[in-house]
């Protein structure tokens, strides 16, 4: 029966403990409708005061069912992240926080259920992360005090276990802090916590160590002590790393370090002893191994996070040698152990025989420690904190000790030989995983991210590369010797060969000058490929990897031979080319094709088969990460092959279309598909037009405002959209016109997307100018809104678009279309925004001295604003004056001309400078005094601009003639066979541009003639206007032969 709390509307369901209990019971129901209704009611109650303290009240009520209490504590735990901050939505009130805090610690300490205790500890630790020390200064001290009391009162009590659990999660939370103040808060209490904690640990550890060594009657007490000491050790490990800036300078830490090192040897002796009387049962052995791994993690974390301190702590160098000795001993049997029978785990389940053994885990820690030591010497971590002299001295001393006493050339050689001959070798576990889960195993071998830290072989590869790079002189000769010996002895051991070849590949950057890889490729690797024996798929995989490692660093290799090898490795018909071999070949093909040395012509003969097999492989693999890697290879081939990729376009589209549907919410995969399509459109050029309809559907689904995928795919979809527009012929298909509506909403998004959206808008103006002009208000209104807040780059893009609209209007319908566009600029406030910016610049430039003002727009933006006005003025001066008068109550022409003439010398772009020159010259048509009175400024401008633009050209008769260098002809912009449709449209509009069509001298001569006529002839003109021009300026202008 559905409870009353669920049946009634939310507003009629007041927040009480009883109602909350019923709602939680419904949320825990198996009935999905009740679950949904309960969850909705809980969300509604989040807004009410007292909700979270009520949840806590239910949680601490031990009489309630565990599932109800569990839901309550989970709700509380999740609420801390969402609502505990003061500025959060529906944040918890101060009074309610105090009530919750006052009951939190005791509720954990009294909790009998382990699962609930864990969640409650996490909940409390999250609160302390936010509130300690400012709002809750006694939080950590009270836990430490309680820990001290519990240790003394009842050593094996549940209370002690719960306190350790709480402290573990508190230290976890506090150690994650990155703010300096938070780190200092932890460091301030670290000493006291460490002191009490180590007493607890040492006491508990001694109890069970004695029991395991000498026996006793209290086995249960010993196991309980092991649990307590393990918890304490986990806390100590984190606290020593995060709670101390210089652990080596703390006597207490040095003492703990030595004690743990001694116990490490003692525990290791317990589990490795051959004395049958000390042979441990499964559970104690498991817990001892857990202790050892925690101590090993402490050693490793210290070497990574406090490198100098690790070296300077007592006994650390000997400790590192011991780790290597353990790992070297383990290497003797690595991969050769007999199958271990299943063991009963602590949870009662059979352990998987494929689980990594303790000795392998500890050996892995040893390799990681050696790698951390290597980085300490050759690639030390950089700190933003200014180092003090003492810190510098410690680092130098530690580096010298590490280099001279641990990582000597002899040890480096020993490590290298062990890695190559032992740890590079496959294990039975590898072979089993290769066979049973090939895709997962292949991905794990890539060592991506931090995966390498969990595998002996991939960690060994990283360590080997570090050593061979940093000990090149000492390690390269013996490495080459091992390689040559293996070749001379004609070793048939596939696993040994694979390890040697792995070393050859990894060391490629070091060996490329001393090792004849070209001969090795042709004489050895090719022969290996021809062998048809069991297990030779291992060598085929390795050959693909080697070629992927050598091709990027070695020039002059036989690339057709390499392409033939990959063609062979991708052949599914060969039974040795299993999925791992083919996927590895597909991955490594990327590295083979990527180098600059690649040429499409050499690859073309192999492209049909390689692409067919690669496309089939992409369709076969199931793992999204693997598909992604193979698609990246495909994308690179499409880019590198350029126009030669054309014959394979249909196949690629046949693969990508269903793959897009299968990807669903795998947005990384969809991003890669969009990238491949972009590369395909660019490479195929006009040949891609047959795919545009399909591609436009993908673009639409990626950019629709309400689409969930828009967040992830927008940027890649815009790149593809721009590529499609580049190849779209005129007239444009209706499908591509239909999606132009999605551009305007993009004018309010992030800067990178805005830039691309503006570039696409420009392409549309070239493609469908009449449609864009008829909808100009939809574009210009957002432009006007955002113009003043744009960056310099985006501002230029916007103003260039408006210029392009003016040019398009002029070319389509002449002055009438420009006048209509000018009216739109006025009605959308775009023109007003321009004039406001220019007016501000004018007023600022009138000020000097201490009270000088600075304009809100810089010089480049001012040039952009003036260029928009110049386009209008060049087309129709009278319309320009009319729209200026309509834009402002005060006639702007006088101050605008003053600012314009004052700024023109600051215009450095030749095209924009000529445009302003043409615009100011065109105003002579008006015959108005406000332009004629500035004749001296005009003549100065003409002399400057014409002189800059005149260049010598051949006249066809062996002589030269001076001409405006910005005037283009059909020969200047001659079409090319490779021009895209967009390039052709751009060329057409460029040739019609007044800047590139009109010679400046002819234009000045023409407009001066009109001004002379409007003044009644030359004599009145000279008397009234020319007479007021400086003689030197007049002479310089007259020398141009214009006037």
């Amino acid at each position: 029966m559905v409870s009353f709390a669920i049946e009634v509307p939310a507003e009629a369901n007041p927040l009480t403990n009883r109602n909350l209990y019923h709602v939680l019971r419904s949320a825990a129901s198996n009935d999905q409708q009740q679950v949904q209704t309960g969850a909705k009611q809980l969300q509604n109650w989040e807004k009410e005061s007292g909700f979270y303290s009520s949840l806590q009240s239910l949680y601490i009520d031990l009489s309630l069912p565990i599932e109800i209490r569990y839901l309550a504590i989970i709700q509380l735990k999740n609420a801390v992240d969402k609502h505990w901050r003061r500025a959060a939505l529906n944040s918890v009130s101060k009074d309610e926080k105090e009530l919750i805090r006052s009951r939190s610690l005791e509720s954990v300490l009294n909790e009998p259920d382990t699962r609930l205790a864990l969640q409650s500890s996490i909940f409390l630790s999250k609160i302390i992360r936010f509130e300690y020390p400012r709002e809750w200064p006694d939080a950590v001290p009270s836990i430490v005090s309680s820990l001290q009391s519990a240790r003394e009162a009842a050593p094996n009590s549940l209370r002690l276990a719960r306190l350790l659990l709480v402290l573990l999660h508190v230290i976890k939370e506090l150690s994650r802090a990155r703010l300096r103040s938070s780190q200092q808060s932890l460091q301030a209490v670290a000493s006291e916590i460490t002191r009490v904690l180590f007493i607890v640990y040492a006491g508990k550890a001694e109890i069970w160590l004695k029991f395991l060594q000498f026996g006793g009657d209290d086995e249960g007490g010993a196991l309980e002590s092991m649990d307590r000491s393990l918890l304490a050790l986990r806390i100590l490990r984190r606290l020593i790393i995060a709670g101390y800036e210089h652990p080596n300078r703390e006597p207490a830490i040095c003492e703990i370090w030595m004690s743990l090192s001694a116990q490490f040897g003692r525990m290791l002796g317990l589990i490795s002893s051959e004395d049958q009387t000390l042979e441990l049962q499964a559970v104690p052995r498991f817990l001892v191994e857990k202790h050892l791994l925690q101590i090993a993690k402490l050693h490793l974390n210290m070497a990574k996070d406090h490198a100098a301190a690790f070296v300077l702590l007592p006994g650390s160098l000997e400790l590192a040698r011991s780790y290597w000795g353990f790992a070297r001993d383990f290497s003797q049997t690595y991969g050769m152990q007999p199958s271990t029978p299943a063991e009963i785990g602590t949870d009662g389940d059979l352990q998987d025989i494929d689980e990594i053994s303790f000795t392998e885990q500890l050996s892995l820690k040893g390799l990681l420690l050696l790698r951390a030591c290597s980085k300490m010497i050759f690639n030390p971590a950089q700190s933003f904190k200014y180092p003090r002299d003492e810190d510098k001295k410690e680092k130098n001393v530690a580096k010298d000790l590490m280099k001279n006493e641990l990582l000597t050339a002899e040890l480096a050689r020993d490590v290298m030989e062990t890695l190559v001959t032992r740890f590079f070798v496959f294990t039975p576990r590898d072979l089993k995983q290769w066979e049973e889960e090939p895709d997962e195993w292949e991905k794990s071998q890539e060592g991506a991210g931090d995966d390498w830290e969990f595998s002996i072989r991939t960690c060994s590869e990283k360590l080997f590369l570090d050593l061979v790079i940093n000990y090149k002189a000492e390690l390269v000769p013996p490495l080459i010797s091992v390689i040559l010996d293996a070749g001379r002895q004609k070793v048939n051991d596939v696993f040994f060969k694979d390890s040697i070849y792995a070393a050859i590949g990894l060391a490629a950057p070091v060996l490329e000058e001393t090792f004849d890889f070209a001969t090795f490729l042709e004489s050895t690797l090719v022969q290996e490929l021809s062998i048809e024996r069991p297990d030779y798929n291992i060598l085929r995989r390795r050959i693909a990897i080697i070629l992927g490692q050598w091709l990027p660093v070695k020039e002059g290799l036989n690339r057709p031979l390499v392409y033939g090898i990959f063609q062979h490795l991708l052949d599914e018909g060969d039974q040795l080319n299993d999925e791992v071999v083919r996927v590895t070949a597909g991955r490594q093909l990327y590295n083979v094709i990527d180098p600059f040395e690649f040429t499409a012509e050499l690859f073309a003969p192999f492209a049909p088969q390689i692409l067919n097999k690669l496309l089939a492989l992409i369709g076969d693999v199931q793992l999204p990460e693997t598909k992604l890697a193979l698609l990246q290879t495909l994308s690179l081939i499409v880019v590198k092959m350029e126009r030669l990729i054309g014959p394979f376009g249909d196949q690629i589209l046949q693969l990508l279309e269903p793959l897009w549907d299968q990807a669903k919410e795998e947005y990384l995969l969809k991003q890669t598909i969009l990238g491949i399509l972009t590369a395909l459109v660019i490479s195929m050029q006009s040949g891609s037009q047959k795919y545009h309809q399909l591609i436009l559907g993908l673009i639409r689904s990626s950019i629709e405002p309400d689409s969930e995928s828009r967040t992830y795919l927008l940027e890649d979809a815009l790149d593809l959209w721009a590529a499609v527009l580049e190849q779209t012929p005129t007239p444009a298909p209706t499908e591509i016109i239909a999606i132009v509506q999605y551009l305007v909403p993009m004018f309010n998004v992030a800067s990178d997307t805005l830039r691309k959206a503006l570039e696409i808008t420009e392409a549309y103006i070239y493609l469908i100018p009449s449609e864009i002009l008829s909808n100009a208000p939809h574009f210009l209104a957002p432009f006007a809104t955002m113009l003043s807040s744009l960056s310099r780059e985006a501002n230029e893009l916007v103003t260039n678009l408006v210029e392009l609209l003016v040019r398009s209007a002029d070319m389509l319908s002449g002055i009438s279309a420009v006048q209509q566009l000018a009216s739109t600029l006025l009605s959308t406030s775009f023109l007003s925004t321009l004039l406001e910016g220019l007016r501000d610049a004018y007023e600022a430039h009138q000020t000097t001295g201490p009270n000088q003002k600075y304009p809100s727009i810089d010089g480049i933006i001012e040039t952009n604003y003036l260029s928009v006005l110049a386009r209008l003025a060049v087309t129709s001066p009278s319309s320009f004056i009319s729209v200026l008068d309509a834009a402002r109550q005060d006639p702007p022409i006088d101050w605008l001309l003053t600012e314009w003439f004052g700024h023109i010398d600051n215009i450095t772009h030749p095209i924009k400078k000529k445009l302003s020159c043409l615009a100011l010259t065109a105003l002579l048509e008006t015959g108005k005094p406000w332009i004629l009175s500035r004749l001296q400024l005009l003549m100065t401008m003409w002399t400057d601009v014409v002189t800059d633009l005149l260049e010598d050209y051949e006249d066809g008769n062996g002589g030269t003639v001076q001409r405006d260098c910005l005037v283009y002809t059909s020969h200047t912009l001659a079409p090319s066979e490779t021009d895209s449709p967009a390039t052709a449209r751009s060329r057409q509009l460029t040739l019609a541009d007044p800047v590139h069509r009109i010679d400046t001298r002819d234009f000045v001569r023409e407009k001066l003639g009109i001004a002379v006529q409007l003044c009644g002839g030359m004599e009145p003109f000279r008397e009234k206007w020319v007479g007021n021009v400086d003689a030197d300026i007049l002479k310089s202008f007259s020398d141009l032969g214009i006037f």
Side-chain angles (χ1 to χ4, degrees):
M1 179 178 177
V2 180
S3 67
F4 175 78
I6 300 302
E7 292 176 344
V8 299
E11 59 271 17
N13 197 13
L15 175 60
T16 64
N17 285 358
R18 181 175 179 275
N19 287 343
L20 180 56
Y21 169 80
H22 287 303
V23 170
L24 288 174
R25 192 175 66 179
S26 297
S29 167
N30 294 326
D31 186 331
Q32 285 301 310
Q33 183 178 359
Q34 289 194 45
V35 171
Q36 293 174 5
T37 310
K40 185 176 181 180
Q41 178 62 73
L42 289 173
Q43 288 179 352
N44 291 335
W45 277 339
E46 286 179 358
K47 304 170 186 177
E48 293 196 25
S49 176
F51 172 61
Y52 299 106
S53 56
S54 297
L55 280 172
Q56 190 185 36
S57 296
L58 292 188
Y59 161 67
I60 63 179
D61 187 348
L62 300 181
S63 65
L64 296 179
I66 284 183
E67 60 271 17
I68 300 299
R69 298 178 60 227
Y70 189 80
L71 268 180
I73 192 61
I74 291 295
Q75 288 283 326
L76 274 173
K77 185 186 73 171
N78 295 339
V80 177
D81 291 327
K82 294 192 297 183
H83 304 294
W84 198 267
R85 290 181 177 88
R86 190 179 304 171
L89 182 66
N90 303 324
S91 63
V92 184
S93 68
K94 184 177 180 180
D95 292 340
E96 191 172 7
K97 285 181 181 179
E98 289 180 1
L99 176 60
I100 292 173
R101 286 200 305 258
S102 67
R103 301 187 295 184
S104 294
L105 181 57
E106 284 300 318
S107 67
V108 186
L109 302 185
N110 297 324
E111 178 55 62
D113 186 85
T114 304
R115 290 186 312 152
L116 292 177
L118 173 62
Q119 298 301 327
S120 186
S121 298
I122 296 173
F123 164 64
L124 176 57
S125 67
K126 288 176 177 290
I127 295 177
I128 292 175
R129 169 80 183 274
F130 286 125
E131 306 245 317
Y132 177 77
R134 292 185 179 178
E135 303 296 329
W136 196 5
D138 62 337
V140 176
S142 64
I143 295 173
V144 177
S145 176
S146 299
L147 181 63
Q148 176 75 12
S149 301
R151 181 188 68 82
E152 296 171 351
N156 291 325
S157 70
L158 180 65
R159 190 177 182 87
L160 177 62
R162 296 294 183 255
L163 280 165
L164 289 172
L165 183 63
V166 168
L167 191 56
L168 171 63
H169 289 286
V170 168
I171 298 301
K172 272 186 178 181
E173 286 291 336
L174 295 180
S175 63
R176 294 191 185 110
R178 291 293 173 263
L179 292 177
R180 182 64 181 159
S181 58
S182 300
Q183 294 172 348
Q184 289 174 337
S185 299
L186 177 59
Q187 291 168 4
V189 295
S191 296
E192 179 61 19
I193 300 175
T194 304
R195 183 188 67 80
V196 176
L197 202 56
F198 187 66
I199 293 173
V200 174
Y201 167 76
K204 297 298 180 184
E206 191 59 29
I207 291 172
W208 63 261
L209 279 169
K210 283 183 179 180
F211 177 84
L212 294 181
Q213 285 182 300
F214 306 113
D217 298 329
D218 190 8
E219 182 179 356
L223 290 175
E224 190 175 83
S225 294
M226 294 181 86
D227 285 330
R228 307 292 189 267
S229 64
L230 182 59
L231 266 177
L233 185 56
R234 291 171 65 190
I235 304 167
L236 275 172
R237 174 174 69 83
R238 291 173 171 84
L239 185 60
I240 291 173
I241 298 302
Y244 296 88
E245 194 167 353
H246 301 284
N248 59 299
R249 300 178 191 174
E250 302 289 335
I253 299 302
C254 293
E255 183 180 346
I256 292 172
W257 186 264
M258 289 189 292
S259 176
L260 290 176
S261 297
Q263 285 189 352
F264 187 80
R266 194 174 167 188
M267 294 178 197
L268 196 58
L270 280 174
I271 63 171
S272 58
S273 174
E274 297 180 359
D275 187 350
Q276 294 184 358
T277 62
L278 294 178
E279 187 174 350
L280 302 183
Q281 295 179 355
V283 173
R285 183 183 185 88
F286 174 78
L287 291 173
V288 173
E289 289 174 353
K290 286 289 187 182
H291 280 76
L292 285 166
L293 289 174
Q294 285 298 317
I295 298 174
K297 285 181 180 180
L298 171 63
H299 296 154
L300 180 58
N301 293 151
M302 186 67 75
K304 286 181 174 180
D305 299 341
H306 300 286
F310 172 79
V311 180
L312 298 176
L313 281 165
S316 292
L317 295 182
E318 187 59 38
L319 190 67
R321 293 190 194 97
S322 299
Y323 271 107
W324 170 241
F326 185 89
R328 184 174 51 192
D329 291 343
F330 171 71
S331 73
Q332 302 302 314
T333 56
Y334 179 70
M336 300 178 184
Q337 305 97 318
S339 296
T340 305
E343 298 178 351
I344 301 298
T346 55
D347 59 357
D349 294 329
L350 287 175
Q351 291 182 340
D352 190 335
I353 61 172
D354 290 332
E355 283 186 3
I356 298 176
S357 67
F358 164 74
T359 50
E360 184 171 345
Q361 292 181 66
L362 196 59
S363 297
L364 177 58
K365 292 291 186 292
L367 296 180
L368 292 169
L369 184 66
L370 279 181
R371 187 157 195 249
C373 292
S374 171
K375 285 186 172 293
M376 192 186 308
I377 302 172
F378 302 107
N379 188 25
Q382 300 299 314
S383 173
F384 291 104
K385 184 180 177 182
Y386 184 78
R388 293 173 294 184
D389 291 340
E390 185 179 2
D391 300 342
K392 291 180 183 178
K393 183 178 179 181
E394 279 189 354
K395 286 184 178 180
N396 291 333
V397 169
K399 185 176 179 180
D400 291 341
L401 282 172
M402 185 61 67
K403 191 171 185 179
N404 298 325
E405 297 190 22
L406 179 65
L407 281 179
T408 60
E410 291 77 17
L411 180 68
R413 180 168 180 170
D414 181 30
V415 173
M416 182 199 74
E417 290 176 354
T418 304
L419 295 177
V420 173
T421 59
R422 298 291 181 179
F423 286 135
F424 281 8
V425 178
F426 275 77
T427 66
R429 181 172 61 245
D430 289 315
L431 299 178
K432 183 180 179 182
Q433 290 175 351
W434 179 323
E435 181 180 354
E436 294 181 353
E437 297 180 349
D439 48 354
E440 289 284 356
W441 182 86
E442 187 277 335
K443 183 181 80 72
S444 71
Q445 297 306 297
E446 287 297 302
D450 293 332
D451 287 353
W452 63 271
E453 294 185 351
F454 303 98
S455 164
I456 283 272
R457 187 185 310 102
T458 50
C459 178
S460 297
E461 290 175 352
K462 300 283 186 182
L463 178 57
F464 168 80
L465 189 55
D466 287 346
L467 294 177
V468 82
I469 288 174
N470 295 308
Y471 293 89
K472 181 178 179 180
E474 295 85 356
L475 298 186
V476 167
L479 178 60
I480 292 179
S481 177
V482 171
I483 294 170
L484 295 178
D485 286 346
R488 284 192 293 267
Q489 295 171 11
K490 299 187 182 298
V491 177
N492 292 321
D493 185 343
V494 169
F495 302 105
F496 181 72
K497 278 186 177 182
D498 180 76
S499 64
I500 297 298
Y501 293 171
I504 295 173
L506 290 167
V510 178
L511 295 179
E512 57 103 7
E513 294 181 356
T514 55
F515 181 65
D516 187 359
F517 184 77
T519 301
F520 177 73
L521 168 63
E522 297 178 9
S523 64
T524 303
L525 296 186
V526 172
Q527 290 183 11
E528 300 284 16
L529 285 170
S530 64
I531 298 175
E532 300 281 344
R533 294 180 189 169
D535 294 335
Y536 263 72
N537 53 343
I538 292 173
L539 290 187
R540 293 193 174 189
R541 168 185 174 271
R542 180 59 59 189
I543 289 169
I545 295 172
I546 291 176
L547 293 174
Q549 291 165 327
W550 272 88
L551 267 291
V553 300
K554 185 71 173 178
E555 295 182 358
L557 294 174
N558 187 342
R559 280 187 164 269
L561 176 61
V562 173
Y563 301 147
I565 289 173
F566 275 89
Q567 179 177 290
H568 177 61
L569 293 176
L570 288 167
D571 183 9
E572 187 180 8
D574 190 321
Q575 62 179 0
L576 285 178
N577 295 337
D578 58 19
E579 182 179 336
V580 171
V581 172
R582 288 181 289 118
V583 169
T584 303
R587 282 186 189 268
Q588 297 300 325
L589 186 59
Y590 184 99
N591 297 324
V592 169
I593 292 175
D594 190 41
F596 182 74
E597 191 182 3
F598 174 88
T599 58
E601 290 73 20
L602 280 179
F603 185 73
F606 305 91
Q609 289 198 47
I610 286 180
L611 278 169
N612 288 338
K613 294 167 182 175
L614 182 62
L615 291 169
L617 181 60
I618 293 171
D620 291 342
V621 296
Q622 299 299 318
L623 207 62
E625 293 91 337
T626 305
K627 277 188 187 291
L628 183 62
L630 297 176
L631 284 171
Q632 288 171 344
T633 300
L634 175 62
S635 178
L636 184 66
I637 292 174
V638 171
V639 171
K640 291 280 191 172
M641 288 291 288
E642 297 179 338
R643 301 196 74 174
L644 295 178
I645 199 65
F648 310 100
D650 291 348
Q651 290 175 266
I652 294 173
L653 263 292
Q654 287 171 9
L655 168 76
L656 296 183
E657 187 177 6
L659 192 58
W660 177 274
D661 296 330
Q662 295 166 15
K664 296 182 180 178
E665 294 183 0
E666 292 283 348
Y667 293 116
L668 200 57
L669 201 59
K670 286 188 171 183
Q671 287 174 358
T672 304
I673 293 173
L674 292 174
I676 293 173
L677 291 173
T678 302
L680 190 66
V681 170
I682 293 172
S683 296
M684 293 185 65
Q685 298 182 3
S686 59
S688 67
Q689 291 173 6
K690 58 184 177 180
Y691 308 130
H692 284 189
Q693 186 172 359
L694 167 65
I695 291 173
L696 289 172
L698 302 184
I699 293 174
R700 178 192 290 270
S701 68
S702 303
I703 64 174
E704 289 176 332
D706 297 331
S707 169
E708 183 181 351
S709 61
R710 185 177 188 269
T711 305
Y712 307 97
L713 304 179
L714 180 59
E715 190 171 341
D716 297 280
L718 290 178
D719 289 335
L720 178 57
W721 193 357
V724 169
L725 285 171
E726 182 74 19
Q727 303 301 332
T728 299
T730 305
T734 55
E735 294 87 356
I736 204 161
I737 298 176
I739 61 174
V740 74
Q741 60 179 308
Y742 299 115
L743 274 175
V744 175
M746 296 180 197
F747 296 153
N748 297 319
V749 294
S751 56
D752 288 343
T753 307
L754 173 62
R755 183 178 67 250
K756 182 59 69 173
L758 292 174
E759 290 171 358
I760 291 173
T761 305
E762 179 182 3
Y764 268 109
I765 295 174
Y766 283 116
L767 178 63
I768 49 171
S770 58
E771 288 85 348
I772 297 297
L773 284 168
S774 63
N775 291 280
H778 297 292
F779 293 90
L780 293 175
F783 287 172
T785 303
M786 64 185 181
L787 191 62
S788 58
S789 60
L790 290 175
S791 65
R792 180 187 295 174
E793 180 186 5
N795 183 283
E796 185 167 9
L797 286 172
V798 169
T799 52
N800 284 348
L801 284 180
V802 178
E803 285 189 58
L804 188 60
L805 284 172
V806 177
R807 291 164 53 197
S808 300
D810 186 26
M811 189 177 74
L812 284 174
S813 304
I815 293 176
S816 61
V818 174
Q819 288 175 336
Q820 185 176 353
L821 179 60
S823 299
T824 304
L825 288 170
L826 187 61
S827 63
T828 57
S829 301
F830 185 89
L831 195 60
S832 301
T833 304
L834 290 188
L835 292 174
E836 285 172 9
L838 293 172
R839 176 69 185 188
D840 181 76
Y842 164 75
E843 291 175 350
H845 292 150
Q846 306 311 304
T847 62
T848 58
N851 295 324
Q852 182 178 1
K853 297 179 181 178
Y854 295 92
S856 58
I857 59 173
D858 64 22
I860 293 178
I861 293 178
E862 182 172 354
T863 299
N864 297 335
Y865 286 4
L866 291 172
S867 296
V868 173
L869 299 180
R871 287 292 176 186
L872 296 172
V874 168
T875 306
S876 174
S878 58
S879 300
F880 170 70
I881 299 303
S882 299
V883 77
L884 280 185
D885 291 339
R888 292 180 64 92
Q889 293 181 351
D890 57 317
I893 191 63
D894 192 61
W895 64 258
L896 178 61
L897 289 177
T898 301
E899 180 62 21
W900 205 334
F901 277 110
H903 180 73
I904 197 163
D905 285 337
N906 298 325
I907 301 177
T908 57
H909 196 293
I911 292 176
K912 290 185 179 293
K913 191 167 187 175
K914 178 179 178 180
L915 177 61
S916 281
C917 176
L918 296 179
L920 292 169
T921 303
L923 295 178
L924 288 172
E925 288 185 11
T926 63
K928 300 294 184 180
W930 41 257
I931 186 64
L932 292 173
S933 63
R934 291 175 168 86
L935 188 59
Q936 178 168 305
L937 294 173
L938 284 167
M939 287 185 173
T940 303
M941 176 188 69
W942 291 331
T943 303
D944 179 35
V945 173
V946 170
T947 303
D948 286 344
L949 295 180
L950 284 179
E951 288 187 5
D952 292 334
Y953 292 87
E954 295 180 1
D955 61 1
N957 298 318
T960 60
V961 61
Q962 287 192 318
R963 196 172 69 232
D964 189 327
C965 65
L966 290 180
V967 174
Y968 298 159
T969 65
S970 57
H971 298 290
T972 309
L973 294 178
S976 167
E977 292 182 358
T978 59
D979 283 348
S980 66
T983 303
R985 291 189 289 268
S986 174
R987 181 190 302 108
Q988 181 182 5
L989 197 56
T990 299
L991 290 173
D993 187 345
V995 174
H996 301 301
R997 179 172 48 84
I998 298 173
D999 186 290
T1000 309
R1001 292 177 300 175
D1002 295 340
F1003 191 77
V1004 171
R1005 187 180 293 115
E1006 176 191 346
K1007 301 306 177 184
L1008 265 177
I1010 294 173
V1012 169
Q1013 291 178 4
L1014 291 174
C1015 286
M1018 183 59 74
E1019 287 303 321
F1021 182 77
R1022 285 186 177 276
E1023 180 180 346
K1024 188 171 184 180
W1025 304 115
V1026 179
N1028 201 34
V1029 177
D1030 181 84
D1032 292 336
I1033 293 175
L1034 182 60
K1035 182 179 183 306
S1036 297
F1037 174 66
S1038 299
D1039 290 343
L1040 296 176
I1042 296 174
F1043 183 68

